[in-house]
Amino acid sequence: MEVQTKSNGIVNVDEKQLVTFPNGIMGFEKYTKYALIESEYQPFIWLQSTEEKNLAFLLIDPFIVSNEYEADIDDESLKSIGITSPEDLIVMTIVTIPNDGSAITANFLGPIVINRKNNVCAQVVLSDNRWTTKFNIVEALKKKGE
């Protein structure tokens, strides 16, 4: 399938790269269909809307960023996307790269959860107050590298 992207023109994607958010992403509820596209900058991945070419999110695996990250996701959220086993679950976080040069952050409080078996996704809000919507990933990676 050809997908018009925000920054890379038209990209061919495999059906396996297509994901659905039945309830959308917070603030973008009307857009439910996306493609996971490799970024030119590893380990990032683009979550590109297939319905609106100007809507794309940069994702990162939070476990790469922080060894302490825990995503205690409620059973109801997991059930809503058909998760029956932890092996079926992929957790990603949305990255923000501000134009003003301030810290690059990830939303560790509201991760994206993906069912790898059926490609159905949801954005969940964790109840763990250790995490924030503006988790500084550069600082965390520096600490991890020490």
Side-chain angles (χ1 to χ4, degrees):
M1 172 182 186
E2 289 187 342
V3 175
Q4 182 72 36
T5 68
K6 182 177 179 178
S7 57
N8 295 319
I10 295 174
V11 175
N12 281 313
V13 297
D14 191 277
E15 292 290 319
K16 296 180 293 190
Q17 293 170 264
L18 299 176
V19 296
T20 304
F21 286 79
N23 298 314
I25 294 173
M26 290 173 202
F28 302 91
E29 290 83 1
K30 79 178 197 176
Y31 302 103
T32 60
K33 294 176 172 68
Y34 293 83
L36 294 169
I37 301 171
E38 275 192 42
S39 167
E40 56 277 21
Y41 304 104
Q42 294 300 319
F44 300 103
I45 296 172
W46 285 108
L47 180 64
Q48 173 66 56
S49 171
T50 60
E51 301 163 303
E52 170 53 62
K53 71 177 183 180
N54 291 316
L55 180 60
F57 300 95
L58 198 55
L59 303 180
I60 193 167
D61 179 339
F63 302 103
I64 291 173
V65 176
S66 173
N67 291 331
E68 289 85 39
Y69 187 67
E70 294 176 18
D72 188 15
I73 301 161
D74 68 281
D75 292 341
E76 200 58 40
S77 294
L78 296 176
K79 191 175 166 183
S80 75
I81 61 170
I83 296 287
T84 57
S85 168
E87 292 80 35
D88 298 341
L89 183 65
I90 299 170
V91 177
M92 301 297 282
T93 54
I94 296 175
V95 175
T96 301
I97 303 173
N99 290 333
D100 64 4
S102 57
I104 297 171
T105 62
N107 183 351
F108 272 30
L109 189 61
I112 300 292
V113 291
I114 304 167
N115 182 333
R116 74 171 81 232
K117 281 192 171 174
N118 64 11
N119 286 2
V120 177
C121 311
Q123 184 176 26
V124 298
V125 177
L126 304 179
S127 58
D128 191 334
N129 64 5
R130 290 180 295 166
W131 309 119
T132 174
T133 58
K134 301 272 186 212
F135 187 84
N136 187 323
I137 62 176
V138 174
E139 285 297 315
L141 288 169
K142 283 180 188 174
K143 286 180 188 172
K144 192 173 178 180
E146 292 174 356

